[in-house]
Amino acid sequence: MSETLAADTILSVRDLKTWFVTRRVIAKAVDGVTFDLKRGETLAVVGESGSGKSVTSLSVMGLLSRPGRIEGGNILFRDRAGKVHDLATFGPADFRKIRGREIAMIFQEPMTSLNPLYTVGDQIGEMIALHEKVSREEKRKRALEMLKHVEIPDAASRLDDYPHQMSGGMRQRVMIAMALACNPSLLIADEPTTALDVTIQAQILDLLRRLQQQFGMSILFITHNLGVVAEIAHNVVVMYAGRVVEQAPVNDLFAHQRHPYTKGLLACTPNAGRDIDATGERRALYSIPGSVPPITALPPGCAFEPRCDFAIPPCKAAPPPLMPAGSDGFSRCIRSAEL
Amino acid sequence: DPVKGGVIDVATVGEPPTLDPMASTADLVGIVTQHIFETLYTFGKDWAVTPLLAADMPQISADGLTYTIPLRTGIKFHDGSDMDSADVVASLERWEKIATRGKQAAEVIAGIEAPDANSVKITLKKPYAPLLSLLAFNNAAAIIIPSENAGEDPLTKFIGTGPYMLKDRKPDQFIQLARFDGYKSRDGESNFYGGARKQYLDEIRFVPVPDPNTRVEGAVAGQFAYADALPVEAYDKISGGKTKPVILKPFGWPVFVMNTKEGLNSDIRIRKAVQAALAPNDMLTAAFGSTDFFAVDGSMYPEGFAWHNIVGIDAYKPDGDTEAAAALLKEAGYDGSKPLRILTSRQYEFHYKMAQVAQAYLEQAGFKVKLDVVEWATLTKNRQDPKLWDIYITHSPFLPEPSLNGFMSDTTPGWWATDAKHKAVEAFNAESDPAKRAKLYEDVQKVIYDEAPIYKVGDFNALAAQAPNLEGVTPAPWPFFWNAWLEK
Amino acid sequence: MAAVSAPLQSEPGLVARLMGRPTSGIGLIVLVLIALAALLAPWIAPYAPAKLSVAHRLEPPTLQHLFGTDDLGRDVFSRMLYAARASLSVALAVVVFSSIVGIVLGLTAGFFKKLDTPVSRLVDAMMAFPDILLAIALVAALGPTAVNVVMALGIVYAPRLARVVRASTLVIRELPYVEAARALGVPTPVILVRHVLRNVASPILVQGTFIFANAILAEAGLSFLGVGISPDIPTWGTMIAVGRQYMDQAGWIMMFPGAAIVITVLALQLVGDSLRDLLDPRLAKDI
Amino acid sequence: MLRSILNRLFGMIAVMALVVTIVFVIVRVTPGDPAAVMLGPDATAADVAALRSRLGLDQPMVVQFGRYVLGVVQGDFGQSIFLNQPVTTALAQRAEPTFFLTVFSLLIATVIALPVGILSAYKRGSAFDQAATTLAMFAASVPSFWLGLLFIQFFAVKLGWFDTSGYGGPGASFLDRLNHLVLPALALGLVSSALITRFARASMLDVLNDDYVRTARSKGMSEWRVVLKHALKNALIPILTVIGLTAALLISGAVVTETVFGLPGVGSLVVSAVLRRDYPVIQGALLVIAGLYVLVNFAIDMLYLAIDPRVRY
Amino acid sequence: MDRRTETKPLLVVEGLTKHFPARNGRIVHAVEDVSFEVKRGSTVGLVGESGSGKTTAGRAVLRLIEPTAGKALFDGVDLFSLSAAEMRAYRRKLQIVFQDPFSSLNPRLRVAAILGEALDACGFPRGKARRERVAELLTLVGLSPDHATRYPHEFSGGQRQRIGIARALAVEPEFVVADEPVSALDVSVQAQVLNLLGELQKKLGLTLLFIAHDLSVVEYLCDEVVVLYLGRVMERGPSKLVYAAPRHPYTKALLATAPVPDPTRRRTHVALTGDIPSPIAPPSGCVFRTRCPEAIAACAETIPPVVEIGNGHHVACIRHDERA
Ligand SMILES: Nc1ncnc2c1ncn2[C@@H]1O[C@H](COP(=O)(O)OP(=O)(O)OP(=O)(O)O)[C@@H](O)[C@H]1O
Ligand SMILES: Nc1ncnc2c1ncn2[C@@H]1O[C@H](COP(=O)(O)OP(=O)(O)OP(=O)(O)O)[C@@H](O)[C@H]1O
Ligand SMILES: [Mg+2]
Ligand SMILES: [Mg+2]
């Protein structure tokens, strides 16, 4: 292993390139993603639909579906024993040992992510049995314990429920219980609250925060909602068209954006305090012009350049590199200093 | 040498509609039931009537009106009871009522009685030469059954006096016949259907195999000891190994029956045009392939039959005479607008093939032709309706008695009824001296060619397949398996 | 949602896309060739289909008779061309007939909630009859003519289409664009045609291809059993039935029409399969 | 649970009722008079009229229908004109070969199709998948009777391994009967396996794209376990449906196959009944087979209930 | 006070109720006794969690589904009492914009045909005038006139939503229901569409019923807000009042739990526990009581009436005055 990993870092993705290559097109879904996730912390990945968030997380889990393939970069991961692996080089058998035990994952759609034909108890128990030698009673006991951890009311009686007998929020709790059953050191949560109502979303976010304190796992939290980011993250990565455009600690990022895209994102969410004046007259919202280009037809330079208010001719020339910006962050904008 | 024992499977053309031989004229019914039931008379060599259940030929009164038939004694039915004259009278009365041929005979029969236990007496209204042949026939047959069963219609108890008795029947699967141990054979030699009947085989099973190719393949694969009515094309196929061909030569004659009552063919000139136009050579070649299986022959009976003669057959053109036909059509004023409707079916593939060739020749002569291809069942129904057809195609074995042929009656489809016909046929039927009858038949044949109520296409042979180790089977239009044995 | 990935690309035409795949490309070419052969039969066929020449019966394939001659000395090749006409037009008529019936039933059941249960039950009941069996019974009842065979098979296949149409209609009925049309006060018949029918066209097209294929097989089966269209019109099925008797002397009589059926049906299925891949968004979703 | 069973039961009865009606209608559209057909060509008008009234054919349609339904409910499908036995008996006597033919073909089809379909879906786009899909499509393109003929020609006539036709004589052993079933079951099974393969593949593909399969993978499970435990069980429902459907198709395929192989089953009974104009038999066979189909569907519905907890509303 | 709030209501909804049949003869209480007013030229926001009956209420008002009970007085005419034929005449005055920009446009029709259908509906003549009108509409929603010959799939989500809006506007309606028109859009595009709606309303004097679950969007866009929970109105009134001083525990909880893009204002506790009950068997009394942190025994007994507490601010809580 040529790459080194700082001791407090559990996951380091470096210049990851994950492409979908078909006979007709090459879709560079992820093309230069770099970030570090520190032990016990939450790293939020934000970006609009199609920006490559899920593909990034699936690359880490080795769950890419064909024709997706990692074309370059490293995914360095430190396991419980302290050994560092490059997941980008892993084969299916290697991944099987890591998944569930070291890295667990929860998904956006609680409605469809659980197998409808098995009880939730079975599905949690299965996770345990996959990685540990446990007796039948033990398995059941542990599953129940997990259900209690995720604060499912009357857990003992819900153990034998089927997923369809539960609400979306409950199911997401079950997913979390399942993910944490083998005490993984990294939890990847791909938009775990997007499909939920605000009140339920708040419950889940709360739960995750509490469990993080309890279990000490690191969380890679994927979302497109900046409010949620503010709510849960320690560090934030902003993605646009398959690339990381900015990384910063959460407070820094909301205080001062080092990339025009991030700036735009924040500006275009309506905020009554800012957008309605004292007379009750509303100001037009800031809006980013145009729309996200398809990843199969990105401009040669900065991907955001066509929509950018700050664009200057050099932006068109070549994709800017990810450069340090601010005290503890990075930005992929050549004018980041001016922002 | 003959050995006792063994079971044979006989592939037949299908499932017989009934096992009551009185109720049907179907060949298939006769083939199966002749093993179970017996008649007073049957046919010996050269189709001479010979006694079966009767002890001897009848004593016929000088006026030809009374037939006294002596019966054999000690004959047992399959149920163990003895046959006597009461059974015979009851059976014959049932025959008169139910069987087609019985009904035909009933028209001339004045009464049937039993003078004593061992003889019956049939009184006629007028002399009727075909009577014995009718009694001897194996379909619509005058079988003898126990008197207590004679009231049944339809028949449910299949109790006869034959060498084999019905053991089991699964429609469309098999009809299983087992040797009847109480059977009493006639003494002496076997004589075609008559004479001694030997029961070598333990069991005979008739397996309905409606599809001719399946029959062929089954025979080739050695599945059937005997497979009936095979397509002639299969000759080479069945010539090697597990089976060998049996040709019955000649078997019968395909015939185009003309509707003399209504439609185009009610005009004799049109009928003559058809007669001239048809080319039997090609029709038979198409239908039967090689001359091994057919003969282009205009005589109503081929050589070898007492009825054979060549009177009138110059109207029969082996290769057709298109010009003559066209001329006749013109004379008849046919303008080609009304189609000549040929009713046929594919039950017998050779019917359909002849129809196709006929169509080509008829069209050449100027006819407009419409083939009406229907199922056999529909054909037998539709031919009853004179409005529906001009020609229908059928075939018949060479019947031992000419008056048994359908067209000889006025009422069968075709409805041929002319003075000339009546004159010839009545004279023929009234005469009982065989030699004189043969002469009288020349007149009948002449009328047929003059008036063209039917068109005989030619002679054809039947092909069957038989296992090499099956011995003692006499080629016959309705194959029978008493006297047969399996070589070890 | 995944369809968002390439919303701005304009799509090439359906035929072009079919030609773009090797399987359906070949299928399509084969179909076109067969259709042309059928259409141009009178010009291509070296002999009249009914022209018999008893002297030349059962001749093996030669240059004069490409596919040999049959039991009446007719040219098998010519007959096959004409048989293609009959077989294909019967099958096509079946598709048209069953589409009309199926679309009417399916739209009715799918669009009008009140009629759904009765119509669906009727369709269920119709589905309960195995295809050839029902066709045989119907043909037996009505008589073996081309029209009746088409009707019988049409009735047999209509429920399948009805189900497909109903299922799609149920989905489309609830789609916002239908609701938008209702909100505009567009009359129901117009909605049915412009919005629903137009969008069930894809599943109908896919299903129609398969029905076409099945109808060819079923017609052959019926003809083989002797309850097909009138036997003096050659079809592939009747040709096989005839050829069967000459299976080992003159195998060509049976083999060529059999092969024609296999090739045509296979081509149809290849095209149908690709059509489904291309038109059914469920299967097309991840590439 | 009970409620949904009752619900389906009711639906099934409704469909059955429609089936009975359709069969009744089909037979009534027959031109011509069943009585005349029964009595044959020589019957007099008086005889026909007598039989008509004996059969109740002179009654109003509603009454006839009522009687017919009453008969059917009591298991009385009438009397075969040709065979002179009750239709039920005729059908029962021929049920065995058809039953075994169907079961064996289904078995053959399933045993081939399931693994191939699953593997095909799993290895979507691979050489195996392409070969399997193409082969399946090819199999689905071959008329089963044609295949049967080729089989007879090759296996029975040339090689002599099997009997060409029939179902063995009276008292044939079961093994002997099996021998008669091998070729037809193979011919029919191969053709039907195509449908099941394609369906199994399609539903597996569907399911393999589902989120819970991804969840299962994310648990660190081996691939075969993901496929067999999580994916297959979910795909099974549509697959079961198509297997049920295939069972029905097989019966219809049996009509032709039985004719080709001379099997004395329900299929060849129907074909000969058609040729013999034996309407009550056609009617009865249609009814029984359609009824079976409805029952099979019902059974599959019940299986759904057993497999899928979601269906228990 | 805003000028618009003084004009008389264009739409008055009274006691709107919609029940759907559920399995086993039970019913879904999708909307129960909902009343509100929409003043001419104003925007009313309908907020609530998923399943609270927002869409159902919106569709029922337009009679896209038949309401079970209630009245919808549009310009004084009760829409619910109109015959189907009479309703057709009203259709063009009331339009709807849908949430999903992908399924709300028929993929087989070109944009010109989609808009053309709307123009047909108001009897707009065919020909050159129509082409000009289509161009005009497209320009109005910020698209280019030559987009008319394209198919929907050739547009991005935001552009499609614009087409949906253009279709609704084609018949020159007075009242538009916008059912979560921006929820399916990317954040960066969402603002464009919100701005467009705002502009159009000003320019055309539209009256808007805006359905959303994003509280900040409603606060920004709407003059008044109606908060639904399990099909019932919890609180309604001028946005300013409701947002500044929510009087219903549910509204408070909603506002408290909505994530705000500001890490310095992180919530410290979760206001609501448990799940939304099933609309098939809503709780007795106040439907919210099962999750309400302030519920008392009496809440289970009576359905709290919606009472006005001043300035058009209405609340349905028996304890509202305790907290006043
Ligand atoms: N199997 C695939 N084949 C081809 N392209 C794919 C595939 N999966 C994803 N992509 C493409 O990769 C890009 C990134 O997708 P990804 O799912 O990572 O987006 P995301 O950021 O998670 O978006 P969302 O917020 O919608 O979940 C998209 O443009 C998508 O179309
Ligand atoms: N056609 C229908 N049949 C039965 N129930 C329905 C129907 N439409 C809606 N419902 C039910 O009515 C209730 C209200 O649904 P509605 O769609 O109005 O909610 P909503 O507030 O728009 O939710 P969302 O935010 O998810 O769009 C829900 O419980 C829903 O399940
Ligand atoms: Mg994603
Ligand atoms: Mg809604």
Side-chain angles (χ1 to χ4, degrees), chain B residues 38-103:
Chain B
E38 291 179 324
T39 43
L40 292 175
Y41 293 93
T42 187
F43 296 104
K45 282 199 181 63
D46 299 327
W47 298 100
V49 174
T50 171
L52 183 56
L53 287 174
D56 207 341
M57 294 306 283
Q59 292 171 318
I60 306 174
S61 61
D63 58 2
L65 293 181
T66 321
Y67 285 59
T68 309
I69 302 172
L71 301 177
R72 284 165 67 205
T73 52
I75 302 289
K76 286 211 180 315
F77 285 111
H78 297 160
D79 62 359
S81 60
D82 289 307
M83 181 192 84
D84 62 16
S85 58
D87 297 316
V88 176
V89 171
S91 300
L92 292 183
E93 279 169 351
R94 182 175 191 268
W95 180 64
E96 281 188 283
K97 215 163 68 206
I98 291 173
T100 313
R101 301 189 201 287
K103 288 184 207 160

Side-chain angles (χ1 to χ4, degrees), chain D residues 117-139:
Chain D
I118 292 170
L119 208 62
S120 244
Y122 186 69
K123 305 203 159 197
R124 179 179 190 185
S126 67
F128 175 85
D129 179 28
Q130 273 164 5
T133 348
T134 313
L135 260 177
M137 223 174 280
F138 186 74

Side-chain angles (χ1 to χ4, degrees), chain A residues 34-45:
Chain A
T34 301
F35 58 78
D36 281 348
L37 169 55
K38 292 209 172 65
R39 192 184 294 280
E41 285 196 351
T42 301
L43 174 71
V45 179

Side-chain angles (χ1 to χ4, degrees), chain C residues 102-121:
Chain C
I103 288 170
V104 169
L105 285 178
L107 278 186
T108 316
F111 202 80
F112 305 102
K113 280 198 174 112
K114 286 216 179 80
L115 294 174
D116 188 12
T117 312
V119 176
S120 294
R121 290 269 188 270

Side-chain angles (χ1 to χ4, degrees), chain B residues 211-214 217 231 233-234 236-237 281-283 285-290 346 349 352-354 356-357 359-361 371 373-375, chain C residues 50 52-55 57-58 71-72 74 79 139-140 144 223-224 226-227 229-233 238 241-249:
Chain B
D211 185 81
N213 301 285
T214 316
E217 268 124 30
E233 288 80 16
D236 290 335
K237 205 169 175 178
N281 209 344
D282 266 5
M283 288 162 71
T285 309
F288 301 104
S290 93
R346 309 192 69 178
E349 200 60 33
Y352 178 58
K353 283 180 188 159
M354 289 188 309
Q356 286 173 295
V357 181
Q359 179 178 19
Y361 277 94
L371 283 195
V373 188
V374 297
E375 282 135 19
Chain C
L52 29 109
S53 158
V54 177
R57 61 197 299 266
L58 305 180
D71 55 323
L72 297 178
R74 296 171 296 194
R79 284 180 71 74
V139 173
S223 295
F224 178 77
V227 285
I229 68 174
S230 161
D232 40 332
I233 302 168
T238 50
V242 170
R244 185 183 177 190
Q245 304 159 44
Y246 308 95
M247 204 149 84
D248 31 28
Q249 298 156 273

Side-chain angles (χ1 to χ4, degrees), chain B residues 253-460:
Chain B
W253 49 296
V255 57
F256 283 36
V257 180
M258 316 235 196
N259 180 354
T260 60
K261 195 172 182 177
E262 280 181 41
L264 281 179
N265 271 337
S266 58
D267 182 341
I268 188 168
R269 289 169 300 188
I270 302 274
R271 293 207 298 274
K272 294 296 280 181
V274 172
Q275 191 181 47
L278 293 178
N281 209 344
D282 266 5
M283 288 162 71
L284 291 166
T285 309
F288 301 104
S290 93
T291 45
D292 292 343
F293 297 101
F294 68 87
V296 179
D297 176 15
S299 303
M300 292 306 293
Y301 281 86
E303 272 177 81
F305 279 85
W307 316 112
H308 176 73
N309 69 72
I310 53 163
V311 177
I313 65 167
D314 40 338
Y316 176 85
K317 313 280 186 208
D319 292 305
D321 186 344
T322 306
E323 277 135 49
L328 278 161
L329 268 188
K330 203 162 170 202
E331 191 193 318
Y334 179 73
D335 60 358
S337 64
K338 217 170 151 195
L340 184 75
R341 295 158 302 168
I342 303 181
L343 181 63
T344 184
S345 100
R346 309 192 69 178
Q347 173 92 357
Y348 301 96
E349 200 60 33
F350 66 89
H351 290 185
Y352 178 58
K353 283 180 188 159
M354 289 188 309
Q356 286 173 295
V357 181
Q359 179 178 19
Y361 277 94
L362 288 167
E363 278 170 355
Q364 245 173 53
F367 277 103
K368 183 174 167 192
V369 180
K370 183 175 168 286
L371 283 195
D372 188 9
V373 188
V374 297
E375 282 135 19
W376 185 249
T378 315
L379 184 143
T380 56
K381 189 168 146 232
N382 287 3
R383 69 179 176 196
Q384 303 288 332
D385 185 346
K387 295 194 173 47
L388 296 180
W389 56 277
D390 298 310
I391 291 177
Y392 85 84
I393 301 177
T394 184
H395 72 271
S396 162
F398 291 107
L399 298 179
E401 163 58 49
S403 23
L404 300 184
N405 284 309
F407 64 88
M408 298 285 274
S409 129
D410 290 357
T411 53
T412 50
W415 305 279
W416 179 39
T418 60
D419 294 342
K421 170 195 176 180
H422 292 154
K423 192 161 152 261
V425 170
E426 270 160 30
F428 176 71
N429 276 351
E431 179 56 62
S432 55
D433 177 10
K436 287 188 191 149
R437 293 189 84 212
K439 193 75 194 135
L440 284 172
Y441 189 64
E442 290 181 0
D443 301 339
V444 176
Q445 182 165 315
K446 181 165 185 307
V447 189
I448 294 172
Y449 272 103
D450 285 350
E451 302 198 339
I454 57 162
Y455 182 86
K456 182 201 177 209
V457 186
D459 307 340
F460 73 98

